[in-house]
Amino acid sequence: MRISEASNISGSVSEFILLGFPCRREIQILLSVIFSLIYLLTLLGNTSIICAVWSSRKLHTPVYILLDNFSFPEICYVSSDVPKMLANIISQTKSISYTGCLLQFYFFFSMCAAEGCFLSAMSFDRFLAICRPLHYPTIMTHHLCAQLVVFCWAGGFLSILMPAVLMSQVPLCGPNIIDDFFCDLVPLLALSCAPIPKTTLTCATLSSLIIFITFLYILGSYTLVLRAVLRVPAGSGRNKAFSTCASHFLVVSLFYGSVMVMHVSPGSRSHPGTQKFVTLFYCMAAPFFNPLIYSLWNKDMKDALKKVLGAPPKEVPKNIEK
């Protein structure tokens, strides 16, 4: 590992050193194998959901279209940091360029913000389907679904644009070492060689607003959904509603649980090991488990996935006697 001396002479940083997971070489190789396997399975799982939705006409409904678009930012944001992390684990320099670091920061958090928007849109869809079932077909049209998709994508990219611009103006004159495996917000701000209270406050405020507004909306939607489900007489109708919403809420819990521990918990930054573990969880574990949750809890999705993966259909026993 090295610190760029030329960068310090010129008064600016041209590259960063991502410490990642400093440990013995054997452990680093083991980590690279494990992380590579999780990354490939994550890509396979989310790509399978996208292909299943588009290949099955039965799934061309708003709830699955939103799920399809939710899977795409998962692929994008896990691909924005994991390949570089894997390269740095087996590399001796463990460096990333200044431009590459800013682009990684922007795309990673843009995709995270887009995921929050899509989870909100999916909770809105479930609220209409369960609490307003008679009005659902007239409200949740394909036109409204398309508008929600555009809003979620635009909201993800635009909400992180200002923090990215502010980060590009932060004065950096060394050191250039980041004790993390990707370009996270707080470690980058900590490298500033001048006080930046306005930038820190603006970035913290925007990130907190994105997290809490989407989370509180989702929480409110599922609270109303739960109240409506509990009014349904016990039976298949209630079980189906619980099953549908449970998968959504479990994904929400995985995503927002790790994000809030990372960015809201006051003690999360005082322990670098805990910080890396939580960051690794929402960078890799959440995108890995989400396709499993949706495919295992949803019969229509399981049938479509079997068709995409080429699983043979179940043989229907023939009645010999007429």
Side-chain angles (χ1 to χ4, degrees):
M1 292 183 296
R2 58 190 171 80
I3 299 177
S4 178
E5 296 179 0
S7 300
N8 292 334
I9 294 174
S10 64
S12 63
V13 170
S14 61
E15 66 176 19
F16 297 97
I17 306 300
L18 298 171
L19 293 183
F21 306 95
C23 52
R24 290 185 303 170
R25 186 65 178 172
E26 296 81 5
I27 299 178
Q28 288 184 337
I29 295 174
L30 178 62
L31 288 176
S32 66
V33 173
I34 295 173
F35 293 158
S36 297
L37 182 61
I38 295 175
Y39 175 60
L40 292 176
L41 290 175
T42 300
L43 295 182
L44 176 63
N46 285 284
T47 303
S48 297
I49 287 182
I50 294 173
C51 294
V53 171
W54 285 106
S55 64
S56 175
R57 299 184 65 86
K58 187 178 180 180
L59 301 184
H60 290 180
T61 59
V63 60
Y64 291 110
I65 292 174
L66 292 173
L67 174 59
D68 176 77
N69 280 271
F70 174 76
S71 297
F72 191 74
E74 292 222 306
I75 294 174
C76 293
Y77 98 74
V78 78
S79 298
S80 67
D81 63 328
V82 174
K84 187 62 179 177
M85 177 187 71
L86 294 174
N88 283 343
I89 287 178
I90 60 177
S91 172
Q92 294 297 322
T93 58
K94 303 184 185 302
S95 63
I96 183 172
S97 67
Y98 175 82
T99 303
C101 189
L102 289 182
L103 287 175
Q104 186 185 71
F105 165 82
Y106 176 67
F107 280 106
F108 179 84
F109 287 103
S110 293
M111 294 300 100
C112 287
E115 279 207 34
C117 293
F118 277 114
L119 287 172
S120 301
M122 292 163 72
S123 69
F124 173 66
D125 176 85
R126 291 301 85 200
F127 165 76
L128 289 178
I130 294 175
C131 299
R132 302 288 188 272
L134 298 179
H135 298 90
Y136 179 82
T138 58
I139 297 177
M140 185 54 75
T141 61
H142 284 280
H143 179 67
L144 177 59
C145 182
Q147 289 180 325
L148 288 174
V149 169
V150 172
F151 172 79
C152 291
W153 280 111
F157 281 108
L158 295 178
S159 61
I160 306 299
L161 187 59
M162 182 178 292
V165 172
L166 292 175
M167 283 302 308
S168 67
Q169 298 174 351
V170 171
L172 301 171
C173 51
N176 62 343
I177 297 178
I178 300 176
D179 189 11
D180 211 330
F181 58 87
F182 85 111
C183 296
D184 203 353
L185 174 63
V186 175
L188 281 173
L189 292 175
L191 294 180
S192 173
C193 54
I196 47 171
K198 292 183 179 180
T199 299
T200 303
L201 179 61
T202 302
C203 292
T205 301
L206 285 174
S207 60
S208 298
L209 283 175
I210 295 169
I211 293 171
F212 281 107
I213 289 176
T214 55
F215 177 72
L216 291 176
Y217 179 82
I218 294 169
L219 188 63
S221 297
Y222 282 114
T223 300
L224 296 175
V225 167
L226 181 61
R227 288 177 56 188
V229 170
L230 291 176
R231 296 195 193 103
V232 177
S236 60
R238 175 186 287 189
N239 294 337
K240 184 177 180 180
F242 266 123
S243 177
T244 303
C245 295
S247 59
H248 288 262
F249 196 73
L250 186 54
V251 170
V252 170
S253 300
L254 283 173
F255 180 76
Y256 282 98
S258 56
V259 168
M260 287 188 175
V261 169
M262 184 64 190
H263 293 283
V264 179
S265 177
S268 62
R269 295 292 174 180
S270 59
H271 302 89
T274 304
Q275 168 193 335
K276 289 181 186 179
F277 175 78
V278 177
T279 306
L280 187 65
F281 183 84
Y282 80 76
C283 285
M284 296 197 70
F288 171 74
F289 284 116
N290 289 348
L292 295 176
I293 293 170
Y294 282 119
S295 60
L296 291 176
W297 287 47
N298 190 294
K299 182 180 181 300
D300 293 335
M301 182 60 68
K302 282 192 290 186
D303 294 339
L305 284 173
K306 289 178 182 178
K307 182 180 178 182
V308 168
L309 298 176
K314 293 182 179 180
E315 293 185 1
V316 180
K318 297 181 179 179
N319 187 6
I320 299 176
E321 297 182 3
K322 293 185 180 180

